[in-house]
Amino acid sequence: MQKNNKALSVVIPLYNEEENILPLYAALKPVLEGMGINYEIIFIDDGSTDGTAAALEGLIADPDVLVLEFRRNFGQTAAFAAGFDHAIGEVIVTMDGDLQNDPSDIPKLYEMAGRYDLVSGWRKNRKDPFLNRRLPSAMANWLIGKVTGVKLHDYGCSLKAYRREVVNNLRLYGEMHRFIPAVANWYGVNVAEVVTTHHPRTRGKSKYGITRTVKVFLDLITVKFLQSFSTKPIQFFGPMGLASTAAGFAVSVYLAFQKLFLGKAIGGRPLLLLGVLLIIIGIQLIGMGLLGEMLVRVYHESQKKPIYTLRKVLGQGIGDRG
Ligand code: UDP
Ligand code: MG
């Protein structure tokens, strides 16, 4: 059997995981060898301050290993982004570097990535503390599903498989890696979920606390906004602006009527303040929508980023498209 020379890239972010690297490599290698395909393992050292870099240097004797060393800690999302930028596999599998994900799930994900664009792991039997991990995570999954319309049991699972084209379209910011399935779905990518094995962390420390919940929530607002209105901000701000202006206008007309026809004093009435405020806010909201429209154009045109994504292009047309 001839091996596909760009079959699989495994992307693993590492931040202070010195004790996990060798056991992880030892568990990963036989699984990947057993798959009978060409593969690469991309380790991203996310600015570790322990022996992670040294441990990784010991692995580069293996020609299937690529190590990307960050200058400082940029975070897991940036580490994934770097991995995606450097990966050349047709399928890209991401996982944690602390052995909480099980390498033996990789063949299953790889196989499913032949049928789906994105396969997301589901840590159904998750081995993390309930109160500060599984509970906030369950609430987050529910909320993300509601808001984005892409319902998954486990957004936070790092073990995922992507087809190359999916990754090419992704631009990741903040803590955005958790929302990839939602973002990808909005590009028109089909997403599947599969139950994966999860283990408790046995070595090293977890890098996140409960404060992550706030960040995830703020990122969710961003994702929702971009998903719904990134190409039409005026449609988002406009209705609010119009409603506010109209309400303010109605209030003003009512007060003007009282003043002009009934001769009542309106100078001391709180309603006057409200009317003026509503008009000002309304005009500002419409102005924000218009500014947004300009930003959208700058964003898409400066990056030559189309407002659509193509699955494929078929046929020739009249030929050479340069
Ligand atoms: N990680 C990283 N950069 C960071 C934080 C974490 O690359 O700033 C890596 C970490 O080394 C691990 C993975 O991301 O491989 C998941 O982190 P962790 O196990 O701490 O998260 P948890 O499983 O507790 O949610
Ligand atoms: Mg972990």
Side-chain angles (χ1 to χ4, degrees):
M1 189 183 75
Q2 204 196 344
K3 282 189 182 180
N4 175 347
N5 67 355
K6 287 181 183 172
L8 172 66
S9 301
V10 181
V11 169
I12 309 178
L14 299 162
Y15 181 47
N16 294 344
E17 304 284 2
E18 58 179 355
E19 301 144 291
N20 283 313
I21 291 169
L22 293 182
L24 171 66
Y25 177 74
L28 198 55
K29 194 71 187 169
V31 173
L32 297 175
E33 282 296 327
M35 290 170 72
I37 55 172
N38 264 326
Y39 64 86
E40 59 181 359
I41 308 173
I42 305 184
F43 290 109
I44 300 98
D45 173 10
D46 184 10
S48 300
T49 49
D50 65 351
T52 296
L56 288 176
E57 264 165 47
L59 297 182
I60 53 175
D62 178 346
D64 299 322
V65 170
L66 179 73
V67 174
L68 308 172
E69 203 177 301
F70 279 3
R71 283 186 182 272
R72 64 166 176 83
N73 179 241
F74 284 95
Q76 205 182 342
T77 299
F80 280 133
F84 293 158
D85 288 344
H86 289 80
I88 56 170
E90 275 166 11
V91 171
I92 295 156
V93 168
T94 56
M95 66 190 289
D96 281 348
D98 57 2
L99 278 166
Q100 289 201 263
N101 297 135
D102 198 319
S104 60
D105 284 322
I106 294 178
K108 181 167 62 181
L109 268 87
Y110 178 77
E111 181 268 322
M112 283 183 74
R115 287 174 284 135
Y116 299 92
D117 298 318
L118 196 172
V119 184
S120 186
W122 170 16
R123 297 165 291 178
K124 193 170 182 179
N125 199 349
R126 187 169 166 188
K127 303 286 193 312
D128 275 327
F130 178 76
L131 213 56
N132 64 348
R133 278 300 149 84
R134 288 186 352 243
L135 181 69
S137 164
M139 295 191 310
N141 286 316
W142 176 83
L143 190 67
I144 298 171
K146 271 271 173 257
V147 170
T148 63
V150 183
K151 294 200 169 48
L152 289 185
H153 292 95
D154 192 5
Y155 269 91
C157 182
S158 293
L159 186 57
K160 291 188 169 76
Y162 306 85
R163 294 260 285 271
R164 154 105 267 132
E165 316 85 78
V166 176
V167 158
N168 287 348
N169 275 322
L170 286 176
R171 293 286 172 274
L172 301 176
Y173 300 94
E175 305 270 302
M176 223 61 116
H177 67 269
R178 289 196 186 77
F179 297 96
I180 294 177
V183 175
N185 186 265
W186 145 50
Y187 285 120
V189 159
N190 59 10
V191 179
E193 199 172 31
V194 61
V195 174
T196 56
T197 314
H198 194 242
H199 303 287
R201 195 187 247 279
T202 52
R203 303 180 199 81
K205 283 205 226 33
S206 170
K207 308 303 177 302
Y208 299 103
I210 193 81
T211 49
R212 154 163 80 184
T213 321
V214 181
K215 297 182 184 166
V216 168
F217 184 69
L218 291 173
D219 278 337
L220 178 62
I221 298 178
T222 313
V223 167
K224 176 63 190 172
F225 177 73
L226 292 177
Q227 184 177 5
S228 316
F229 301 107
S230 69
T231 57
K232 42 182 187 201
I234 191 74
Q235 306 295 351
F236 177 73
F237 292 107
M240 291 190 275
L242 287 179
S244 176
T245 312
F249 192 70
V251 167
S252 306
V253 168
Y254 168 73
L255 288 175
F257 175 80
Q258 299 231 313
K259 168 84 184 162
L260 295 176
F261 295 98
L262 307 178
K264 288 190 183 160
I266 57 167
R269 297 188 61 175
L271 202 56
L272 181 64
L273 209 61
L274 180 68
V276 172
L277 199 67
L278 285 172
I279 293 178
I280 295 178
I281 291 176
I283 291 174
Q284 293 213 329
L285 281 171
I286 295 171
M288 269 164 74
L290 290 171
L291 279 177
E293 290 287 328
M294 288 178 60
L295 284 177
V296 166
R297 283 159 181 72
V298 170
Y299 172 73
H300 283 281
E301 285 163 31
S302 65
Q303 299 188 35
K304 303 230 178 311
K305 224 173 134 58
I307 57 168
Y308 53 81
T309 50
L310 293 171
R311 190 185 313 282
K312 49 181 128 160
V313 178
L314 301 170
Q316 287 276 318
I318 49 174
D320 187 12
R321 286 166 202 280

